[in-house]
Amino acid sequence: MSDEQEKPTTTTSTTTEETTPKEEAAAGGEEEEKVKEEESTATFEPVVKLEEVEVKSGEEDEEVVCSFRSKLFTFGETLLDKGTGNKTWKERGIGDARILRHREHQRLRFLMRQEKTMKVIANHALDPRIVLEPNAGSDRSWVWSCFDFSEGDLEEKVFALRFSNSEVATEFKEKYVACQKEMEALLAGEDKPDEKGEAGEAAAALEGLKTGEE
């Protein structure tokens, strides 16, 4: 045998690495994560700082006696009919018609705000002389006149309040009349003369007080 035949033949093979689509996507995801990590995290303070301001509604010292969702109307002149004497029913808004009682002096008032805007659309004391009358052709609406303070000045107004059904309307009137009687008794007590002389006794007690300067 010749030497050439005895020597084994060796073959070298070269392999090329190919990347699959999944590997490319994974690599791309890693790059995106690196970019996100390198995003700026700087914070900027506002030039003007606004402080929280406590807004008072005027109802802080009152409790809700009852509340009824309804739609309020008022009878009067429109802007186009101003001064003509022509009056029509105008919608004031939808909201909760509430009766509020003051925690200190126990007086009651009717208050209604327009939903969303919370604008006051009716605000008057529960005067015992107010009479709720049924609205013509409707068993779920009441009409009454009163001195209202919703626009900042005491004005005589005619209101109509419409409810979802006659049952709710009846319940509202019962509550309203009951609170009127409570208000009437309260006012009668305030106007009652001092029969027991309590005012005189209080005055005498005040006269007996001495300050530290004397």
Side-chain angles (χ1 to χ4, degrees), residues 90-101:
K90 301 176 293 181
E91 182 179 332
R92 288 281 286 172
I94 299 174
D96 292 329
R98 298 179 295 159
I99 294 177
L100 306 178
R101 179 190 289 112

Side-chain angles (χ1 to χ4, degrees), residues 115-182:
E115 64 178 4
K116 295 181 181 179
T117 64
M118 301 306 292
K119 177 184 177 182
V120 176
I121 54 179
N123 179 23
H124 61 268
L126 255 68
D127 192 325
R129 297 170 294 179
I130 296 175
V131 179
L132 300 183
E133 299 286 352
N135 195 10
S138 177
D139 61 349
R140 57 190 182 100
S141 179
W142 301 108
V143 178
W144 73 93
S145 62
C146 62
F147 287 99
D148 186 74
F149 197 73
S150 59
E151 296 181 6
D153 296 317
L154 200 62
E155 299 179 44
E156 187 174 5
K157 290 187 178 181
V158 179
F159 289 121
L161 199 59
R162 190 169 69 193
F163 301 89
S164 57
N165 54 57
S166 58
E167 288 79 11
V168 177
T170 301
E171 185 181 356
F172 168 79
K173 184 177 181 179
E174 291 174 353
K175 288 284 188 181
Y176 195 97
V177 172
C179 289
Q180 279 183 300
K181 291 179 180 179
E182 183 181 335

